[in-house]
Amino acid sequence: MKKLKLLSTGIVLATTIIGFNGSALAQQTDIQSDLQLKSANYNKTETKLTTKKGNIIEFGMPRLQPKNNLKSQYSGLNPKTLDSKIKKVDDGIEQTIIIEPSSSNSTIEIPFEFQNGEYIKLAEDKHGNKSGAGNIFNKENESIALLSTPLVDGEKNGKIAADIKNGNILELSLESEQISQPTTMTVTATATSYSTYFNSGSWITRDGMVSLSMNHKPYLTGAAGDFESITRKLDSWDKLYAKHSGSSKWKNTGGMKDQYNCHFDTIGSYKNPWNLEPSRPDVSYAATIAAACNPK
């Protein structure tokens, strides 16, 4: 009788263990299936951005890193995926991400799918702060597209801290305790070209000096904030250099760039065209500023 009772107890215990493991396995399988379903649905609506040089930029699935860097209780699973959608906008693509109240003060990761060595670099202010605005570069280190500062719908007091991981993952932390209902965060990538910034550019002679005369568009100096202004200055210079540096009249690249940055940072939209003279001395940026962009 004792042996029979012991055998019965063992059967019950084994059944319980199997049931527990089966339940955990089923729960893990459900989570994996949910992630796979989200991935499949996401890929069906995927929109690609092709730059003027043929580079392809794609948004990956945004995901939420838990607070305090807590690891998933299920080994091998990715962080929580977030609901989002992508649509085309003028010369770019826009990803809208749904943020739940519980997501505030957590890190949202937005991976970018690159195919040929592209990478992201974020703009920084003099204190090293980053807002999420940045430039996307090709493997030749040329700026080919812009990232705008992410916008959070209805969030006036929230602050976004940003960083880049592995060159292609945008990390955004929404530092706010004010989100009480689901809201949206919008991230935009825009392909740019020479004509994005300039109506025309030609070599002229004025006051006996050869000059590159640039007629610029309002977009060049019309950024909404300092971070986006930094990205446009860098990107537009790359476009200008690619367009005109092959001319026999081009020389003194360092001095020309200082003159360009001086025009951008000082006279800006108040003067059109901008004139850059290769024959002016290559002094420092500070000295170029002190000489009203025309060092002698």
Side-chain angles (χ1 to χ4, degrees):
M1 293 294 293
K2 289 183 179 179
K3 290 183 178 180
L4 180 59
K5 185 176 181 180
L6 181 61
L7 180 60
S8 300
T9 302
I11 293 173
V12 172
L13 180 60
T15 303
T16 302
I17 293 173
I18 292 172
F20 177 80
N21 289 339
S23 176
L25 180 61
Q27 186 175 4
Q28 182 171 354
T29 301
D30 288 343
I31 293 175
Q32 289 174 328
S33 297
D34 180 59
L35 290 175
Q36 291 170 355
L37 180 60
K38 284 186 176 181
S39 177
N41 290 337
Y42 191 88
N43 289 334
K44 288 178 183 178
T45 61
E46 193 170 49
T47 302
K48 299 179 181 179
L49 173 63
T50 303
T51 70
K52 305 301 181 182
K53 290 199 169 187
N55 302 85
I56 296 176
I57 299 169
E58 303 174 62
F59 283 118
M61 287 189 300
R63 56 205 182 208
L64 183 70
Q65 289 286 3
K67 299 177 184 179
N68 302 320
N69 296 318
L70 293 177
K71 295 183 179 179
S72 172
Q73 58 178 314
Y74 298 106
S75 176
L77 292 182
N78 291 324
K80 177 184 176 183
T81 55
L82 299 174
D83 291 333
S84 67
K85 63 180 180 179
I86 300 174
K87 68 176 182 179
K88 284 192 173 183
V89 293
D90 292 342
D91 297 320
I93 51 175
E94 178 182 276
Q95 183 179 59
T96 301
I97 302 167
I98 305 300
I99 304 174
E100 300 292 340
S102 59
S103 301
S104 60
N105 299 309
S106 294
T107 299
I108 296 172
E109 291 187 346
I110 304 175
F112 284 75
E113 306 294 337
F114 296 138
Q115 300 183 9
N116 195 27
E118 297 87 355
Y119 64 94
I120 301 170
K121 185 175 181 181
L122 297 182
E124 299 183 30
D125 64 14
K126 61 182 179 181
H127 303 294
N129 299 315
K130 305 170 188 176
S131 73
N135 298 75
I136 299 176
F137 295 87
N138 61 17
K139 63 182 180 181
E140 287 79 28
N141 302 313
E142 300 167 321
S143 179
I144 55 174
L146 303 179
L147 281 181
S148 299
T149 299
L151 299 176
V152 179
D153 183 38
E155 189 62 24
K156 297 181 180 179
N157 299 319
K159 179 182 178 183
I160 295 176
D163 210 344
I164 290 293
K165 182 169 68 175
N166 301 329
N168 73 314
I169 300 175
L170 177 61
E171 296 184 318
L172 300 172
S173 298
L174 179 60
E175 302 172 0
S176 174
E177 300 288 352
Q178 306 301 317
I179 296 180
S180 58
Q181 59 185 0
T183 186
T184 61
M185 173 185 287
T186 303
V187 181
T188 305
T190 304
T192 55
S193 66
Y194 182 87
S195 62
T196 301
Y197 303 104
F198 306 108
N199 293 307
S200 64
S202 59
W203 294 98
I204 63 172
T205 300
R206 62 171 197 155
D207 301 328
M209 299 179 70
V210 172
S211 174
L212 178 58
S213 186
M214 308 299 304
N215 186 285
H216 55 85
K217 294 181 177 180
Y219 180 83
L220 177 63
T221 57
D226 292 341
F227 292 101
E228 292 189 15
S229 182
I230 292 170
T231 67
R232 293 186 191 184
K233 178 168 64 174
L234 187 158
D235 188 60
S236 61
W237 167 258
D238 274 11
K239 303 298 187 290
L240 182 149
Y241 179 83
K243 177 82 170 178
H244 296 289
S245 62
S247 169
S248 60
K249 297 181 174 64
W250 183 282
K251 62 179 181 178
N252 185 19
T253 297
M256 293 275 281
K257 186 174 183 179
D258 282 341
Q259 291 177 51
Y260 183 81
N261 290 340
C262 179
H263 280 78
F264 191 101
D265 294 337
T266 59
I267 199 66
S269 61
Y270 295 102
K271 183 178 185 297
N272 205 4
W274 296 349
N275 294 289
L276 314 178
E277 284 87 21
S279 61
R280 293 190 181 277
D282 183 4
V283 295
S284 67
Y285 170 75
T288 303
I289 291 285
C293 305
N294 295 310
K296 298 178 180 179

